[in-house]
Amino acid sequence: HRRWRAGEPLAFASLGFSDMEAFFSSLTQAQWSNANLYGLEYLLLRLDQESLAQGRLVTAVQLFDCHGIGLQHVMPRVFRRLKDAVQLPDRYYPELFSQIVAFNILPIAVRAYELIRPLLSKAIQERIRLATPARSEGLPLSLAPPSSLPACYGGSLAQLPEDVAAALGIDKLGAGCLAGASGGALFPGEPAH
């Protein structure tokens, strides 16, 4: 979305509200791989530009809201599709993220992470923080200013800013792909917690 409190670029995703059927029916494995590479390459370009402008290495912070993650999100077919995407930053972009924070994470998601963790380097594993629901209250606001967060997390953003959607290529996906209650939306509606 925007920035976290220390000034680094912030990427935010609410995973538990993703529709796994739409995820599989709207994207082939090749399209999914290309989308991940596009997003990482864009972020790398943006970080390189900021690093040059600031005269220091600038990295990003990734926040994942895991509220709502259930069995549909941890099925074997999901892991097969996510395996390559999870390994991309570690293999080709090791300095991209200074922190990866997953909050509202339930035991089933912790077990899912334990399956993925051996695929990651020790350096990436050390940057990952998991917060249970009991430790997640107010966490997004403690990490990012309201101007960088969606309203449902106490922020001031009513929707994904147009410049962010355009820069990430999300604006090219079509109106129903990421939001809306219609069938086929990958993220049908905003989190209600």
Side-chain angles (χ1 to χ4, degrees), residues 1-2 31 36 42-43 54 57 74 91-92 95 108 116 123-124 137 139 148 156 159 165 168 181 192:
H1 280 79
R2 293 277 186 229
Q31 290 170 322
N36 279 287
Y42 168 75
L43 183 56
Q54 295 184 28
L57 179 65
V74 295
R91 285 185 182 163
Y92 305 112
E95 298 302 321
I108 192 168
I116 294 169
I124 292 290
E137 183 68 34
L139 183 66
S148 292
S156 60
Q159 62 185 26
L168 294 174

Side-chain angles (χ1 to χ4, degrees), residues 85-161:
V86 167
Q87 291 178 306
L88 280 174
D90 205 10
R91 285 185 182 163
Y92 305 112
Y93 311 93
E95 298 302 321
L96 206 62
F97 297 107
S98 60
Q99 286 193 63
I100 301 168
V101 180
F103 63 99
N104 287 321
I105 190 163
L106 294 175
I108 192 168
V110 172
R111 285 193 293 276
Y113 171 69
E114 291 301 322
L115 294 174
I116 294 169
R117 192 169 87 172
L119 302 174
L120 306 173
S121 70
K122 295 288 184 202
I124 292 290
Q125 289 179 33
E126 290 171 0
R127 296 178 201 159
I128 295 174
R129 288 180 31 203
L130 305 178
T132 62
R135 299 184 67 212
S136 296
E137 183 68 34
L139 183 66
L141 276 175
S142 73
L143 298 174
S147 61
S148 292
L149 293 172
C152 58
Y153 296 105
S156 60
L157 295 174
Q159 62 185 26
L160 185 67

Side-chain angles (χ1 to χ4, degrees), residues 33-55:
S33 296
N34 286 340
N36 279 287
L37 283 172
Y38 180 89
L40 291 169
E41 284 292 325
Y42 168 75
L43 183 56
L44 181 64
L45 173 63
R46 185 172 163 203
L47 294 174
D48 282 347
Q49 291 168 339
E50 287 202 30
S51 295
L52 182 62
Q54 295 184 28

